[in-house]
Amino acid sequence: GAGVSQSPRYKVAKRGQDVALRCDPISGHVSLFWYQQALGQGPEFLTYFQNEAQLDKSGLPSDRFFAERPEGSVSTLKIQRTQQEDSAVYLCASSLAGLFHEQYFGPGTRLTVT
Amino acid sequence: SQQGEEDPQALSIQEGENATMNCSYKTSINNLQWYRQNSGRGLVHLILIRSNEREKHSGRLRVTLDTSKKSSSLLITASRAADTASYFCATADRDDKIIFGKGTRLHILP
């Protein structure tokens, strides 16, 4: 039973570049979450999918951030025209069903914008 | 913005002692969860307590919830070196948003 996987694990981008971060949730998990974690802080909610439907994207910090889950499985978080303040660890989590269940987290993608 | 606030921010104790961490939150919740994050590793779910529960146990972990005070505590008994980690509480509020606190960094001294 594989857990949640994320790729790449590390990404260095020059300011202004676009990046795409991938999340493979646990097979059969309906819900998928993206979080942003700055150094020394707790994860901050970005967006939430139930199957392919994006039910909440209120945490996305700007319109440069876009997430999709077209077939209800793999998800991609895209950041356009990256800025230095986007440097953080991006965590993906999945859960069996809904917001009120245990979430299983991936190892995260550490994004550094130079 | 973060709803949960863990207290203390950092805690160092001797191996074998008990560690207590607290979490306060602001709005009504459906449940509260505790997670652990080791350095360089992902978040691991420890325990979930529902809003109608007052106490829950899992191995060496004991969680309490006081909805009247909007607070929860996590007790780790007989601490071990492997318990060194950051501990976060997370709440699911009525707007269906999961919010994590800033965490308590626990260091177990040998």
Side-chain angles (χ1 to χ4, degrees), chain B residues 86-98:
Chain B
S86 291
Y87 292 81
F88 297 92
C89 67
T91 54
D93 65 17
R94 300 283 167 100
D95 293 327
D96 291 349
K97 185 164 291 181
I98 307 293

Side-chain angles (χ1 to χ4, degrees), chain A residues 21-113:
Chain A
L21 313 180
R22 177 187 169 106
C23 172
D24 282 84
I26 293 172
S27 178
H29 276 196
V30 168
S31 300
L32 186 145
F33 308 81
W34 283 99
Y35 295 88
Q36 181 190 61
Q37 187 175 23
L39 191 65
Q41 301 292 315
E44 292 217 14
F45 172 86
L46 293 177
T47 187
Y48 157 57
F49 290 85
Q50 191 159 314
N51 295 307
E52 68 279 2
Q54 190 173 18
L55 298 187
D56 188 340
K57 55 181 181 179
S58 61
L60 296 175
S62 78
D63 59 8
R64 296 185 295 103
F65 286 70
F66 172 76
E68 60 183 5
R69 194 187 185 197
E71 295 176 2
S73 178
V74 170
S75 178
T76 304
L77 176 67
K78 297 179 180 178
I79 309 173
Q80 297 176 323
R81 303 180 304 280
T82 52
Q83 304 293 316
Q84 282 193 315
E85 62 262 28
D86 299 335
S87 296
V89 175
Y90 290 85
L91 296 168
C92 174
S94 69
S95 75
L96 198 55
L99 287 156
F100 307 124
H101 294 79
E102 172 183 349
Q103 296 182 42
Y104 295 83
F105 280 80
T109 294
R110 182 177 297 277
L111 173 66
T112 303
V113 181

Side-chain angles (χ1 to χ4, degrees), chain B residues 51-69:
Chain B
S51 59
N52 61 352
E53 297 176 306
R54 292 296 167 258
E55 188 170 312
K56 203 160 182 181
H57 296 252
S58 176
R60 293 184 297 111
L61 306 180
R62 181 173 80 103
V63 168
T64 61
L65 179 64
D66 186 336
T67 52
S68 66
K69 295 181 180 177

Side-chain angles (χ1 to χ4, degrees), chain B residues 24-103:
Chain B
S24 60
Y25 57 91
K26 295 175 184 165
T27 64
S28 297
I29 61 170
N30 285 293
N31 66 51
L32 185 143
Q33 303 181 41
W34 284 92
Y35 288 81
R36 181 185 68 218
Q37 186 174 40
N38 297 98
S39 177
R41 298 178 63 179
L43 279 147
V44 173
H45 181 268
L46 296 176
I47 200 164
L48 180 153
I49 186 165
R50 302 193 188 282
S51 59
N52 61 352
E53 297 176 306
R54 292 296 167 258
E55 188 170 312
K56 203 160 182 181
H57 296 252
S58 176
R60 293 184 297 111
L61 306 180
R62 181 173 80 103
V63 168
T64 61
L65 179 64
D66 186 336
T67 52
S68 66
K69 295 181 180 177
K70 293 187 168 57
S71 68
S72 173
S73 68
L74 170 66
L75 169 67
I76 304 173
T77 60
S79 61
R80 305 168 182 170
D83 295 330
T84 293
S86 291
Y87 292 81
F88 297 92
C89 67
T91 54
D93 65 17
R94 300 283 167 100
D95 293 327
D96 291 349
K97 185 164 291 181
I98 307 293
I99 301 177
F100 282 81
K102 294 183 179 181

Side-chain angles (χ1 to χ4, degrees), chain A residues 5-31:
Chain A
S5 61
Q6 293 186 245
S7 62
R9 291 292 311 276
Y10 303 91
K11 177 70 180 176
V12 178
K14 285 188 170 26
R15 193 161 60 105
Q17 280 185 335
D18 298 348
V19 298
L21 313 180
R22 177 187 169 106
C23 172
D24 282 84
I26 293 172
S27 178
H29 276 196
V30 168
S31 300

